Amino acid sequence: MKRRLSRTAVPVACVLAMIGAPVLTSGSVATADKRVPKPEAVLGWAPCADFKLATYEQIADYYRKLDKASDRMKLVEIGKTSEGRPQLMAIVSSEKNLKDENLERYRETSVRLSQGDKLSEKDARDLAKNGKAVAWVDFGIHSTEVAGHQTAPQFAYDLVTSETPEAQAIRDNVVTLLVPNVNPDGGTKVAEWYRKNLGGPYQDAGYPELYQKYAGHDNNRDWYMFNLQETQNVGRQLFHEWIPQVMHNVHQTAVFPARISIPPYEDPLNPNIHPQVVRGVNLVGDAMGQRLEREDKGGALARQSYDIWWNGGARTAPYYHNQIGILTETAHASATPRYYDPASFPKTFADGTSTSEPSVFYPSPWKGGEWHLSQSCEYIKTASWAMLRVASDDREALLSGVAKMARDGAKNGAKTTYVIPADQADFPTATKLVDKLRWNNVRVERATDSFVVGERTYPAGSYLVREAQPYRAAVLDLLNAQKYPDRRLYPGGPLEPPYDITGYTLSFQMGVTVDKLDEKVRARTVDVDWPTVPAGVVAGAPKHAYALDPRVNDSATAVNALLAAGDKVSRSDGEVKTRTGKLPAGTFLVTPGAGTDTRVTELATRLGLSIAAVDAKPKKATKIAAPRVGLYDGYNNYDEGWTRLILEQFGFGYEKLTNATVRAGDLRAKFDTIVLPDATYNSMRNGRAAGSLPAEYTGGMTDAGVANLKAFVEAGGTVVTLNRAAQLPIEAFDVPVRDVTQGVEETQYNIPGSVLNLNVDGSDPVGSGFGSNTAAFVADGPAFEVEEGAKGVSVAATWPESNLLKSGFLLGEDVIGGKAAVVTAKVGDGQVVMIGFKPQHRAQSHGTYRLLFNAMYLGGQS
């Protein structure tokens, strides 16, 4: 887990957009040096031409040539992508600013001011006076939104070569960081797919698989977790190395029929965000709108769809670091031109605002007509120049403003400290939480000695997070419950849909105990750069077995490694007595064999596990083998991708299970456990419509595949369903269970992504390793009721009858309160485990991973 920040090894979040005044357009660029190549000279066509998409490799090649030809650009590699491509970031400024000694000074100034909670106002003003604003534009985070990464070459060329007074001022006053593609792997995949199908029936069908190896389109949901390599690459630059004052995250799904969605955004506003940030977002949004109008680019829409609540997106996470984060969404995510008939436009937007009549936040409605990719690219360039113009004009104010926000964080958080105790059962996962906090550049300390607060003694090794720090907003948001307001489109009507999830408290999701203390705790501490795993301990050579704690997630990692090495493992049916104390039911017992001692010691050290010796054989234990896991992939399912990431992280072997494999049958001969990620019954059974894509991507598992799954279970297999996938066994396997949320109106049941309290039965095999309660992330999942008198059904977890909500928003406590959340039902010789939520949500909810792990291990029991 130990890692260092490298200024040249960081990935980029791709969406290129820059700022400026209403003077420059791509047609008025004056070239400073004729040796600087134009994009078309390298690509072979003008960027954003109809029916043309450049791959990431072609765009990167252009950036390299531009860097070589101009001393107004420095190109750096910020890391490797998930598939091993080099991820690039361009630094653009004046020749003088880019001299090594000057550039490093401006970078350090940006960082010092952003973290300037101990700077006096005078020192901050002096630094700001002599510093340069740092602005960020990234392209291509969503690879199917092609205009961004196709704009990247032309935007870089314009910024480097333009000799307008505005462009010169921007280069003099601003250091601009350009990421040509935040997801290079997907940029190439989408471009190659479009080229391959150009002129054929699937030309505009869209890329059918996940274009980011694990997350697909969900790669913009990782910005406080940093699970993905690309997020880490970009996050180093955004939150550690440069910490820009303003950033533009370019997207391409405008609220139809608008041509671009811009700030100001909708309410609600997350109260943890500093008001300066919100004012800055509005300022830049107004500048974008004004410039678009001056350039006759109508159809700009504000205050629709996008709010300022949720953390975790590329433009929202910066808010919690005192950065002005801008999301724009242009229209028409395709290289294929299209005519839009105004007669087919919706009459109003979601809030009732007319799509055809001028209004305050849509003063120049788009009237329809033909639209080309080049027009989307021009809107992106205009919006980006507008942001850069603000950065140039407000350089000193932006720089001194971040220092004020840092001082405010230190002042307002002075009386609060969060302690992460070292004596909690799953301290390795607690250490992973600290790792996430450090990725967010939250300051963390580690106690070198035990310390006392009130009547509680905290052991050495405990972590302290003081609220008094520059990014106090991030501390508040990640370690405290969210309280999302009850917003209705009209009184008694449905919940006004939030932009994303409403509750995501990281400590709750990860199942980590964090004590919030309303005082400035005194303790001997050292600052944490990156946390290391706890000291691993193996408590002696056992007479019977080594015991691995089922409460610790990484016990599964160790067990998987031991099973792969041929060691014998079983799980206790009851409590186990060890030399160091008692462990609960579900304890992993490893029988010593040839080389086992060495393997156990290495795993304890690498994973930070405390492994105990067991001298007496427990009354009852069940042998387990490494289950042969089939992970169902119906194509382009984000939940499948996140699940795959977790299985790899924890050492579970698996094989992708396609629709064709399910339809072919004979599943029991190949698999012990089949996992169905979140998906509806109809989507799994029917798949995509015939003719919409090549045949291998259409058709679903069909009724024959559903019957094969049932036969697999009846023959002794285990099927594990996540969230809505429970619909399949409920409807097709005749299990004596019903979903109580089925058919309930949204006005009675609505959980738009929240964290709920959950009661767990630790004596149930699926609940092994849990105490009596935990927290679970839920997004409108099912809740189960078992038929009275049903046999062969056990309940591992239940929703409390009251006080369900822990973070976010909940409507429908009376619907699911007291109902089962995790159910195991016998079907023939096998079983179905239905988990009524996503226990592995976006690789964030570590606190419920064990429910999935325990369920999968059932398939390997004998």
Side-chain angles (χ1 to χ4, degrees):
M1 192 177 293
K2 186 74 171 177
R3 57 179 70 85
R4 293 282 177 179
L5 293 173
S6 165
R7 289 178 196 146
T8 58
V10 183
V12 215
C14 275
V15 167
L16 185 45
M18 286 209 159
I19 183 172
V23 180
L24 179 70
T25 66
S26 60
S28 63
V29 173
T31 305
D33 189 336
K34 292 184 179 179
R35 294 174 301 175
V36 177
K38 292 184 177 181
E40 53 265 39
V42 177
L43 299 179
W45 63 85
C48 302
D50 289 344
F51 306 110
K52 297 285 189 180
L53 289 181
T55 65
Y56 174 72
E57 285 76 12
Q58 290 175 297
I59 294 169
D61 181 48
Y62 176 71
Y63 265 56
R64 291 189 180 98
K65 286 181 168 61
L66 183 59
D67 171 49
K68 187 175 181 179
S70 174
D71 51 6
R72 295 174 179 174
M73 175 192 275
K74 283 183 181 289
L75 192 64
V76 296
E77 181 182 324
I78 58 174
K80 302 294 186 186
T81 68
S82 296
E83 296 181 5
R85 289 178 173 86
Q87 193 162 17
L88 301 179
M89 180 179 77
I91 307 169
V92 180
S93 197
S94 69
E95 298 91 328
K96 181 180 178 181
N97 291 347
L98 286 182
K99 291 183 180 296
D100 289 347
E101 63 275 14
N102 292 335
L103 187 62
E104 178 60 14
R105 176 160 51 86
Y106 297 138
R107 188 196 69 79
E108 289 180 348
T109 296
S110 179
V111 173
R112 284 188 65 191
L113 288 168
S114 180
Q115 299 176 354
D117 51 317
K118 294 185 173 72
L119 285 173
S120 68
E121 286 190 50
K122 180 181 182 306
D123 288 343
R125 284 197 303 270
D126 290 343
L127 280 170
K129 183 176 181 180
N130 295 296
K132 303 297 180 183
V134 178
W136 173 283
V137 182
D138 68 71
F139 303 94
I141 188 168
H142 286 160
S143 301
T144 50
E145 298 172 4
V146 295
H149 45 101
Q150 299 304 302
T151 302
Q154 188 67 53
F155 187 78
Y157 174 80
D158 292 351
L159 187 62
V160 165
T161 63
S162 173
E163 295 298 347
T164 65
E166 177 190 55
Q168 291 177 359
I170 288 171
R171 288 195 298 268
D172 286 342
N173 293 320
V174 181
V175 175
T176 302
L177 309 177
L178 298 181
V179 177
N181 203 313
V182 175
N183 182 32
D185 299 340
T188 290
K189 290 177 181 178
V190 168
E192 290 180 343
W193 171 266
Y194 183 78
R195 292 175 177 182
K196 175 183 176 181
N197 292 284
L198 188 62
Y202 311 120
Q203 171 181 299
D204 299 312
Y207 186 68
E209 300 185 57
L210 295 180
Y211 55 68
Q212 199 287 331
K213 183 177 181 180
Y214 299 107
H217 209 71
D218 232 18
N219 66 342
N220 196 30
R221 302 295 184 271
D222 189 45
W223 293 88
Y224 58 70
M225 285 303 289
F226 299 95
N227 284 309
L228 306 176
Q229 188 61 46
E230 294 82 356
T231 319
Q232 293 181 5
N233 295 342
V234 172
R236 285 193 191 97
Q237 304 306 314
L238 276 176
F239 302 145
H240 294 263
E241 291 293 307
W242 281 96
I243 319 182
Q245 291 79 54
V246 293
M247 68 87 68
H248 182 191
N249 181 228
V250 177
H251 288 253
Q252 197 184 6
T253 311
V255 181
F256 189 77
R259 297 295 86 191
I260 186 171
S261 296
I262 61 174
Y265 301 120
E266 281 194 297
D267 283 320
L269 168 65
N270 190 310
N272 296 325
I273 300 170
H274 197 286
Q276 244 195 91
V277 169
V278 183
R279 296 290 188 186
V281 170
N282 295 344
L283 172 69
V284 174
D286 286 341
M288 288 177 168
Q290 184 74 282
R291 187 171 186 129
L292 287 161
E293 297 296 346
R294 289 173 179 169
E295 295 182 5
D296 292 326
K297 295 183 174 81
L301 174 69
R303 290 185 66 89
Q304 287 284 346
S305 183
Y306 309 102
D307 61 30
I308 306 184
W309 178 267
W310 167 71
N311 199 335
R315 67 95 184 176
T316 56
Y319 298 153
Y320 303 89
H321 298 81
N322 301 330
Q323 297 167 300
I324 297 169
I326 303 296
L327 167 93
T328 61
E329 296 267 9
T330 54
H332 189 76
S334 175
T336 303
R338 180 181 169 185
Y339 178 81
Y340 293 89
D341 183 357
S344 67
F345 289 1
K347 299 291 185 186
T348 66
F349 295 110
D351 68 348
T353 301
S354 173
T355 62
S356 59
E357 297 298 322
S359 55
V360 172
F361 293 104
Y362 193 50
S364 55
W366 187 57
K367 301 303 183 182
E370 195 169 275
W371 194 265
H372 298 261
L373 178 62
S374 59
Q375 293 170 276
S376 300
C377 296
E378 288 297 326
Y379 274 59
I380 289 170
K381 288 192 288 183
T382 295
S384 299
W385 278 99
M387 186 193 76
L388 293 181
R389 177 63 178 270
V390 172
S392 177
D393 291 350
D394 284 1
R395 175 183 62 83
E396 282 191 50
L398 288 169
L399 287 166
S400 59
V402 294
K404 182 186 185 306
M405 287 187 277
R407 291 194 301 273
D408 288 349
K411 177 180 68 176
N412 296 332
K415 295 182 180 180
T416 305
T417 305
Y418 302 80
V419 178
I420 303 173
D423 54 3
Q424 55 188 295
D426 193 0
F427 193 53
T429 295
T431 303
K432 292 176 184 180
L433 170 60
V434 173
D435 186 66
K436 305 306 181 186
L437 295 175
R438 288 298 300 130
W439 272 112
N440 282 276
N441 210 349
V442 168
R443 293 173 182 169
V444 182
E445 304 163 40
R446 181 176 56 81
T448 56
D449 300 300
S450 62
F451 60 97
V452 178
V453 181
E455 297 181 358
R456 170 74 152 101
T457 298
Y458 291 96
S462 298
Y463 292 104
L464 289 82
V465 180
R466 302 187 191 277
E467 202 174 278
Q469 58 176 297
Y471 310 133
R472 176 176 179 254
V475 176
L476 288 169
D477 209 52
L478 297 178
L479 300 182
N480 289 276
Q482 283 79 46
K483 298 180 180 179
Y484 191 83
D486 188 333
R487 296 172 57 83
R488 309 282 176 150
L489 294 172
Y490 53 86
L495 181 72
E496 184 177 317
Y499 170 65
D500 206 276
I501 62 179
T502 61
Y504 44 85
T505 309
L506 194 51
S507 51
F508 297 168
Q509 285 200 76
M510 295 186 72
V512 175
T513 298
V514 179
D515 294 338
K516 183 177 182 180
L517 308 174
D518 293 325
E519 56 183 287
K520 186 176 181 179
V521 173
R522 296 184 179 277
R524 291 181 181 274
T525 66
V526 293
D527 292 338
V528 174
D529 180 9
W530 294 101
T532 55
V533 297
V537 177
V538 179
K543 296 179 181 178
H544 173 67
Y546 292 100
L548 280 72
D549 194 336
R551 299 172 297 177
V552 179
N553 281 350
D554 270 315
S555 288
T557 311
V559 165
N560 291 334
L562 291 166
L563 288 171
D567 286 296
K568 296 179 180 179
V569 182
S570 60
R571 299 197 78 171
S572 70
D573 288 18
E575 195 174 64
V576 175
K577 182 179 180 181
T578 78
R579 289 185 198 167
T580 56
K582 293 181 178 180
L583 290 176
T587 293
F588 296 98
L589 301 169
V590 182
T591 302
T596 303
D597 296 347
T598 300
R599 288 188 287 273
V600 165
T601 300
E602 186 277 327
L603 288 164
T605 301
R606 175 162 60 88
L607 301 172
L609 303 178
S610 295
I611 298 177
V614 177
D615 294 325
K617 183 178 180 180
K619 290 181 179 180
K620 190 174 181 182
T622 303
K623 292 181 181 180
I624 63 172
R628 299 171 299 163
V629 176
L631 178 61
Y632 175 66
D633 178 14
Y635 294 115
N636 207 7
N637 182 332
Y638 311 158
D639 202 47
E640 179 273 331
W642 290 118
T643 307
R644 182 162 27 91
L645 175 62
I646 292 167
L647 297 187
E648 292 176 9
Q649 288 177 339
F650 286 87
F652 284 91
Y654 69 90
E655 180 181 322
K656 274 200 174 191
L657 185 59
T658 65
N659 284 318
T661 307
V662 178
R663 293 193 296 261
D666 198 22
L667 299 173
R668 188 67 186 96
K670 304 169 187 174
F671 303 105
D672 302 307
T673 298
I674 290 176
V675 178
L676 303 180
D678 178 42
T680 65
Y681 178 37
N682 284 336
S683 69
M684 289 185 283
R685 182 180 57 182
N686 301 329
R688 297 172 183 176
S692 64
L693 283 165
E696 63 266 31
Y697 297 108
T698 63
M701 64 175 65
T702 72
D703 287 336
V706 174
N708 289 337
L709 278 178
K710 185 177 182 182
F712 163 79
V713 180
E714 291 174 333
T718 297
V719 165
V720 182
T721 69
L722 308 182
N723 208 43
R724 296 171 300 169
Q727 293 173 9
L728 190 150
I730 288 176
E731 295 193 33
F733 289 8
D734 300 320
V735 293
V737 176
R738 75 178 186 94
D739 173 14
V740 300
T741 71
Q742 191 69 31
V744 179
E745 294 294 329
E746 191 179 50
T747 52
Q748 278 79 48
Y749 177 64
N750 195 323
I751 310 176
S754 302
V755 183
L756 305 187
N757 288 303
L758 180 67
N759 296 333
V760 184
D761 179 0
S763 67
D764 187 285
V766 180
S768 293
F770 285 90
S772 59
N773 55 74
T774 188
F777 178 85
V778 183
D780 288 334
F784 309 116
E785 187 172 72
V786 180
E787 292 179 10
E788 188 174 350
K791 295 181 180 180
V793 179
S794 63
V795 176
T798 307
W799 300 118
E801 292 189 359
S802 59
N803 299 317
L804 267 74
L805 183 63
K806 197 170 180 70
S807 181
F809 180 88
L810 165 66
L811 177 65
E813 183 174 89
D814 59 327
V815 175
I816 68 171
K819 304 302 181 182
V822 180
V823 173
T824 302
K826 290 287 292 180
V827 177
D829 292 332
Q831 61 218 322
V832 176
V833 182
M834 294 171 284
I835 303 176
F837 51 91
K838 291 188 279 189
Q840 72 331 352
H841 166 69
R842 290 176 180 166
Q844 296 178 11
S845 52
H846 292 239
T848 49
Y849 283 2
R850 293 190 301 281
L851 292 169
L852 173 60
F853 297 168
N854 290 338
M856 289 195 299
Y857 279 133
L858 291 179
Q861 287 186 354
S862 59

